[in-house]
């Protein structure tokens, strides 16, 4: 059985909100939310935390209005 595609959406620390990564399924529904340390400021930093949580980034990060997105798999 093929696993659905997932997308990681990384948002760095913003005023009064910690850095976080949300994993979205192939329908765009959030399935996992990871709160990250406040010193995580780049997609590369977030990628290390994703890896620790069992996710692999499968292509380059793309900039968004509020952070970055990348396809991920487990």
């Amino acid at each position: 059985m093929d696993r659905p595609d997932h997308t990681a959406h990384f948002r760095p620390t913003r005023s009064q909100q910690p850095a976080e990564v949300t994993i979205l399924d192939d329908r765009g529904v959030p399935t996992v939310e990871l709160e990250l340390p406040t010193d995580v400021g780049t997609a590369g930093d977030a990628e290390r935390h994703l890896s620790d949580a069992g996710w692999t980034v499968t292509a380059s990060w793309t900039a968004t209005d509020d952070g970055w997105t990348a396809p991920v798999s487990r």
Side-chain angles (χ1 to χ4, degrees):
M1 180 166 108
D2 291 331
R3 293 183 181 180
D5 295 339
H6 288 82
T7 303
H9 184 186
F10 165 60
R11 287 172 301 283
T13 301
R14 298 164 285 179
S15 62
Q16 306 300 320
Q17 295 181 330
E20 63 184 2
V21 172
T22 302
I23 306 295
L24 307 166
D25 68 13
D26 61 334
R27 298 165 296 161
V29 176
T31 59
V32 176
E33 292 189 9
L34 303 172
E35 189 172 311
L36 304 176
T38 57
D39 64 345
V40 174
T42 68
D45 294 338
E47 193 166 331
R48 286 188 290 281
H49 289 276
L50 280 168
S51 178
D52 290 346
W55 294 93
T56 301
V57 174
T58 59
S60 298
W61 289 91
T62 302
T64 66
D65 288 341
D66 64 347
W68 293 272
T69 63
V72 292
S73 66
R74 198 146 219 201

